[in-house]
Amino acid sequence: MSFKPRILIAEDESGIADTLQYVLKSDGFIPVWCATAEEAIAQFAQEPPALAILDVGLPDLNGFELFKRLQALNQSMGGPEVPMVFLTARSDEIDRVVGLELGADDYIAKPFSPRELVARVRTILRRSARNGAGASTTGAAPNHGIPHQIQGQTPPASSQAPALPFSLDNERMQIRYYGRLLELSRYEYGLLRLLVQRPGRVFTRDELLELVWDDSSDSFDRTVDAHIKTLRAKLKAIAPEVEPIRTLRGTGYALNEELPAKAS
């Protein structure tokens, strides 16, 4: 009998929940529907799923808070990391940005295409399996968005001095900016680490998708843009007058090579 991944759904609207259950079940998954955050926490504690889909606007608890609680529960249980996806309204850009900033694997906008939803779920599960982060895999540590080798190029050695004013701690997967520790999601860490180790080097969106998200064919340019946006906000909070990440319109992003050694 083939393994069927369990997908936890936290959604209070029965119509949307029915659609989710139908498309997931039709594609070989086992959907587990919870109408409240409390039910989702109980189901997660009973058996962690392969992936969780969380509506932002649940009746008893904000979806972002549920995300944090499920993450903490996952860590306390000592199991592999469970990827999570937010359901958001198409017009709520702030929800999408906050969700990605928290460390969610993706977001799905309402109204959604069933085919796109299943494709994204499968992409995330494949990525998790490669990284050892999915509930169906064991024995490997997740790469947390650490960049892989660019075709035709050798990745910079971990001992290479990063661009000032950044300081990398690869063992702890931490980055300091002007001496202050940045609170980064795994994908923000992967993006910034790559840029910092190759100051001035222009990375296209396709390259960044391939290096950080692994599966460039099933990912989206706007995901890179959203993460760059949250990164810039965190860097600006420390040094408002400095613009460390340059945008090359129509091409991609690069780290500014001429950054002041000290923030004014």
Side-chain angles (χ1 to χ4, degrees):
M1 181 179 297
S2 60
F3 171 73
K4 292 186 177 182
R6 291 174 71 254
I7 308 296
L8 180 66
I9 302 169
E11 169 61 61
D12 63 314
E13 295 185 38
S14 60
I16 294 177
D18 287 344
T19 300
L20 286 168
Q21 291 180 91
Y22 175 78
V23 297
L24 290 170
K25 189 173 182 179
S26 299
D27 212 63
F29 298 100
I30 300 176
V32 180
W33 175 36
C34 301
T36 66
E38 182 180 1
E39 292 178 29
I41 293 171
Q43 282 287 344
F44 196 103
Q46 181 178 339
E47 182 181 353
L51 180 143
I53 300 175
L54 312 178
D55 182 30
V56 171
L58 293 170
D60 57 335
L61 191 67
N62 183 287
F64 300 137
E65 183 61 32
L66 174 60
F67 174 88
K68 295 176 185 177
R69 294 194 187 185
L70 292 182
Q71 273 196 325
L73 179 59
N74 195 183
Q75 293 173 1
S76 69
M77 297 173 71
E81 183 179 351
V82 174
M84 301 189 205
V85 175
F86 281 115
L87 282 178
T88 70
R90 185 174 299 276
S91 60
D92 292 340
E93 179 185 2
I94 186 63
D95 284 351
R96 299 196 293 271
V97 172
V98 170
L100 293 172
E101 185 175 9
L102 285 174
D105 291 80
D106 206 343
Y107 63 85
I108 297 170
K110 302 177 186 177
F112 54 83
S113 160
R115 181 175 296 181
E116 180 184 353
L117 180 145
V118 171
R120 292 207 198 184
V121 167
R122 287 206 172 278
T123 296
I124 294 168
L125 290 177
R126 285 198 302 269
R127 182 189 307 145
S128 297
R130 283 195 299 271
N131 295 344
S136 61
T137 60
T138 58
N143 74 352
H144 295 280
I146 298 175
H148 297 275
Q149 183 173 342
I150 304 176
Q151 292 182 354
Q153 296 182 352
T154 301
S158 59
S159 59
Q160 179 176 338
L164 293 175
F166 292 93
S167 175
L168 297 181
D169 186 335
N170 291 321
E171 291 186 358
R172 293 183 176 85
M173 296 180 61
Q174 294 178 342
I175 301 178
R176 292 182 180 273
Y177 182 53
Y178 287 112
R180 292 178 58 182
L181 181 64
L182 292 165
E183 295 292 334
L184 302 174
S185 72
R186 57 181 173 178
Y187 297 127
E188 290 169 350
Y189 171 81
L191 283 171
L192 187 57
R193 177 179 182 267
L194 180 65
L195 294 173
V196 166
Q197 289 189 314
R198 300 294 296 274
R201 202 279 200 194
V202 178
F203 291 93
T204 67
R205 290 175 176 82
D206 286 343
E207 284 178 324
L208 293 173
L209 284 169
E210 181 178 352
L211 292 167
V212 179
W213 279 267
D214 291 331
D215 212 328
S216 59
S217 62
D218 291 319
S219 299
F220 304 89
D221 286 354
R222 64 175 180 269
T223 301
V224 173
D225 295 338
H227 280 78
I228 291 292
K229 183 176 181 178
T230 60
L231 267 177
R232 281 177 165 150
K234 292 179 179 182
L235 297 171
K236 187 171 286 292
I238 293 175
E241 73 289 351
V242 180
E243 295 291 345
I245 299 177
R246 295 190 296 116
T247 299
L248 285 87
R249 194 170 300 278
T251 304
Y253 299 99
L255 190 81
N256 193 338
E257 296 177 273
E258 299 180 356
L259 296 176
K262 295 182 179 180
S264 59

